[in-house]
Amino acid sequence: ENRKSETMAATQFSREAAQGYLRANEISDLMNGILEGVAGDTPEEPLGYIIGMLEKMDDIKPALKCQLSEEWSPLTLDKIDEVNHNCKILKFRLPEPSRGLGLQVCACVLVRSTAEGDAPDVVRPYTPVSRGNQKGTVDLLIKVYPEGKMSQHLNTLKVGDTLDFKHIPFNRKIPLSVLRKEKHVVMLAAGTAITPMFQALLELFGDDCELQKKTSPMVTLLFGNRTEKDILLRKDIEEMAARCPKKFKIIHYLSTPHEEWKGERGMIDKKAIEAHCPKPSIKPKILVCGPPAMYKALCGPRGQPALSGALNELGYTEEMVFKF
């Protein structure tokens, strides 16, 4: 009788956790099948049963069609949020307001600024910082550079203006399903290159859902910036780390910190990786995104699959490292 009561309680917990996870990820087509399976024939370990089903999710779930195609489409700027002295978040309205963008995790979009006269158009990739299931809008985090042609154009946009968007297959990077299968994921990022990492973190730890935490890998993020005021998306990232302290750890590095700064100082380098990241024997998946100098120092140019730099010297292999 006690065993029966424990099983029923576990089943109820599993059902509630599954509902939270599935609803958070808009997997309504999968929800009924999993919950009916648990209710109809209670497995020995209900939570393990559901997690097993979720591990097959990418094979079962129909792919969401991205609202952006390979053709340029104008989106209207809906809102502007100032982030700090040189960064802002631009919110654009999607063609279909009742559903999300449907962009694969760790993928970017292309935006275009149409030039006047014979000057060439300016095209740049941006990784959205909103979740793929955010209905009706998509958010871009932009940093305004004094000599940046695209960022200067984006900085002039006003609510109601339009910007051309498109999405091509090449812009799909590492799938979330690959990250979920890893035991430990290491993220090495600097400045605005935090955006693809943030996109993955939102899906791994963006909801207060026990089942989602259980199906996520361990994650260590080393995030480099010049000063404390340059740390982008800090509140959101640190809230995720606080919510999942056993799963997600963040270490900030500042190259020019103020005297009161209590975090790490300097750049993300060989010493930093040795101090905070799992050893090569653990076989972590290491994601790198930053300026060219960072690639050169840590892993070699991003256009070259061969591994060099600090990660190579520490014994990590080419298969372990993904260069955004």
Side-chain angles (χ1 to χ4, degrees), residues 1-65:
E1 184 67 30
N2 288 339
R3 170 63 178 166
K4 183 177 180 181
S5 298
E6 291 173 0
T7 301
M8 290 178 65
T11 302
Q12 182 62 30
F13 168 76
S14 300
R15 286 169 61 83
E16 291 173 357
Q19 285 177 320
Y21 181 94
L22 296 169
R23 283 174 180 151
N25 288 274
E26 288 196 339
I27 313 168
S28 56
D29 292 340
L30 198 58
M31 184 187 295
N32 290 336
I34 292 179
L35 298 181
E36 286 173 7
V38 175
D41 183 19
T42 302
E44 191 70 18
E45 295 186 10
L47 189 56
Y49 168 84
I50 295 176
I51 291 174
M53 291 289 287
L54 291 171
E55 288 176 344
K56 303 175 184 177
M57 183 167 54
D58 288 313
D59 297 326
I60 300 172
K61 184 184 67 173
L64 289 173
K65 184 178 180 181

Side-chain angles (χ1 to χ4, degrees), residues 81-102:
D81 288 323
E82 301 292 337
V83 176
N84 61 18
H85 60 291
N86 62 1
C87 294
K88 58 180 65 176
I89 292 178
L90 306 182
K91 184 183 293 291
F92 292 88
R93 290 200 297 268
L94 294 170
E96 297 182 41
S98 62
R99 69 182 187 94
L101 175 61

Side-chain angles (χ1 to χ4, degrees), residues 165-195:
F165 283 73
K166 76 174 179 179
H167 176 54
I168 59 176
F170 175 78
N171 290 331
R172 299 187 185 116
K173 306 302 180 182
I174 187 167
L176 184 66
S177 58
V178 171
L179 298 183
R180 285 197 185 280
K181 293 174 183 177
E182 299 292 337
K183 181 178 181 180
H184 202 131
V185 174
V186 173
M187 299 178 172
L188 308 177
T192 55
I194 188 63
T195 54

Side-chain angles (χ1 to χ4, degrees), residues 6 8 16 44 75 84 110-111 117 148 160 178-179 184 190 193 208 225 227 234 243 246 263-264 268 279:
E6 291 173 0
M8 290 178 65
E16 291 173 357
E44 191 70 18
L75 299 185
N84 61 18
L110 295 178
V111 300
V178 171
L179 298 183
H184 202 131
D208 191 11
N225 287 281
T227 68
R234 182 178 186 177
R243 191 158 55 237
K246 295 181 180 180
E264 299 284 4
I268 299 173
K279 306 301 181 185

Side-chain angles (χ1 to χ4, degrees), residues 44-190:
E44 191 70 18
E45 295 186 10
L47 189 56
Y49 168 84
I50 295 176
I51 291 174
M53 291 289 287
L54 291 171
E55 288 176 344
K56 303 175 184 177
M57 183 167 54
D58 288 313
D59 297 326
I60 300 172
K61 184 184 67 173
L64 289 173
K65 184 178 180 181
C66 181
Q67 289 207 46
L68 300 176
S69 70
E70 296 185 43
E71 301 296 326
W72 291 109
S73 301
L75 299 185
T76 301
L77 181 59
D78 189 60
K79 185 181 180 184
I80 302 172
D81 288 323
E82 301 292 337
V83 176
N84 61 18
H85 60 291
N86 62 1
C87 294
K88 58 180 65 176
I89 292 178
L90 306 182
K91 184 183 293 291
F92 292 88
R93 290 200 297 268
L94 294 170
E96 297 182 41
S98 62
R99 69 182 187 94
L101 175 61
L103 186 70
Q104 188 181 57
V105 173
C106 291
C108 62
V109 298
L110 295 178
V111 300
R112 177 179 68 174
S113 169
T114 304
E116 297 180 359
D118 297 330
D121 294 342
V122 179
V123 178
R124 295 287 186 273
Y126 279 87
T127 302
V129 293
S130 50
R131 297 182 69 169
N133 61 7
Q134 176 176 294
K135 292 183 178 180
T137 58
V138 58
D139 300 343
L140 298 186
L141 171 64
I142 69 159
K143 182 174 182 178
V144 182
Y145 296 93
E147 304 300 325
K149 293 181 180 180
M150 177 58 76
S151 66
Q152 286 293 331
H153 172 71
L154 295 177
N155 194 39
T156 66
L157 293 181
K158 299 178 177 61
V159 171
D161 291 343
T162 61
L163 181 70
D164 288 341
F165 283 73
K166 76 174 179 179
H167 176 54
I168 59 176
F170 175 78
N171 290 331
R172 299 187 185 116
K173 306 302 180 182
I174 187 167
L176 184 66
S177 58
V178 171
L179 298 183
R180 285 197 185 280
K181 293 174 183 177
E182 299 292 337
K183 181 178 181 180
H184 202 131
V185 174
V186 173
M187 299 178 172
L188 308 177

